[in-house]
Amino acid sequence: MDSILIVAHGNQSGDNSRTERQAQGLRDAIGLPVFCAYRRYSDDRIKVVMTRMAEQGLKDVLIIPMFMSANMYSDSIPRAMGLRDAGPCGIFEEGGRELRYRITPTLGDWEGSADLVADMADQYGDSGILLVCGCSDKGEPGLLVRRSMEIISSRGHNVEFCANTKDPQPGAEAIERMRLKGSLRIAAIPVAMGATVRFPTDGIEIAHSFGDDPGIPKILTNIVKAYDDSV
């Protein structure tokens, strides 16, 4: 591999500095070119950035989806390159130049991500931990949150999760359950790349989001190492 492409959702405000900052941390760690592309809200779309990389003479890119779980944004990355019926490995061709690509599982599906969430929880001492996340239609947490809850619980914390919605307010219900279990202090961790907590948070401490944590570049580095032992 001679390059890395991080694919993120993109911020509606146009400010993608969070992703760029994490990409810089990975760049510093591995010494390879690291590019960023976005599924929405940016001119730096996947095909545009892949074309730019091919024009620079790059030949072998590892693509890391910066999403909490596999979804329409990660699954459609080949299609966003203009490739139909392509899989997680293939060839992107533009202007007579070929760029081999491999797509890793999403950031949230790597086990180290759950360890990072648990480490974030440990910063709040004996506080109860509320993981604020996107949930399925059935109200169930994704793999990252399930793994994180297991680790956090094993470390002695009272832990709950809730969807990040205003109406209805599962956050208020989860907070009440935690207080009934004896949590006098509660810290809420947004398990997302950058979402803020959308429900009333009186009396609880709000942590920075998972995507803002300085430990993200280390996870990204481990993903790269898993695909290239020379890094």
Side-chain angles (χ1 to χ4, degrees):
M1 101 184 45
D2 58 16
S3 55
I4 310 295
L5 176 62
I6 289 175
V7 176
H9 182 273
N11 195 313
Q12 191 170 9
S13 70
D15 178 10
N16 291 308
S17 57
R18 173 184 295 106
T19 303
E20 301 289 342
R21 183 170 61 252
Q22 303 293 16
Q24 183 60 53
L26 175 60
R27 194 177 293 118
D28 293 342
I30 64 174
L32 291 176
V34 179
F35 299 80
C36 296
Y38 304 94
R39 298 296 279 115
R40 302 181 70 186
Y41 310 123
S42 173
D43 292 335
D44 288 327
R45 306 300 280 268
I46 297 173
K47 186 174 182 179
V48 170
V49 177
M50 290 283 284
T51 299
R52 190 181 304 152
M53 295 171 72
E55 289 174 346
Q56 293 181 20
L58 296 169
K59 301 293 185 182
D60 186 0
V61 59
L62 184 69
I63 300 176
I64 304 176
M66 289 270 280
F67 302 106
M68 297 296 94
S69 62
N71 54 36
M72 60 178 288
Y73 292 117
S74 58
D75 294 343
S76 64
I77 288 174
R79 192 163 62 250
M81 298 180 205
L83 303 176
R84 291 175 178 251
D85 303 320
C89 301
I91 300 292
F92 172 80
E93 186 174 357
E94 185 69 26
R97 299 179 177 89
E98 291 187 349
L99 178 56
R100 176 175 177 258
Y101 73 86
R102 289 171 291 168
I103 304 174
T104 76
T106 62
L107 175 66
D109 284 341
W110 284 82
E111 291 188 7
S113 293
D115 291 322
L116 178 57
V117 175
D119 290 344
M120 292 173 64
D122 284 344
Q123 297 175 25
Y124 292 92
D126 60 355
S127 296
I129 301 298
L130 177 62
L131 302 183
V132 183
C133 60
C135 297
S136 69
D137 292 339
K138 296 181 181 179
E140 298 172 351
L143 179 60
L144 173 57
V145 171
R146 295 198 305 272
R147 285 174 172 167
S148 300
M149 290 182 71
E150 290 176 0
I151 299 171
I152 292 169
S153 178
S154 72
R155 295 181 183 181
H157 292 283
N158 177 17
V159 59
E160 291 273 355
F161 78 91
C162 70
N164 195 14
T165 62
K166 293 181 180 179
D167 187 26
Q169 291 187 4
E173 296 171 3
I175 291 169
E176 181 62 22
R177 289 196 300 271
M178 297 179 76
R179 287 181 171 149
L180 288 174
K181 291 179 181 178
S183 291
L184 300 179
R185 296 182 299 168
I186 297 172
I189 300 176
V191 185
M193 290 312 298
T196 56
V197 176
R198 297 175 181 172
F199 50 82
T201 57
D202 293 343
I204 67 174
E205 189 168 359
I206 308 299
H208 61 262
S209 69
F210 170 82
D212 276 321
D213 197 88
I216 294 290
K218 182 177 180 180
I219 298 175
L220 296 175
T221 301
N222 289 337
I223 293 173
V224 174
K225 287 181 177 179
Y227 281 81
D228 188 348
D229 294 335
S230 68
V231 175

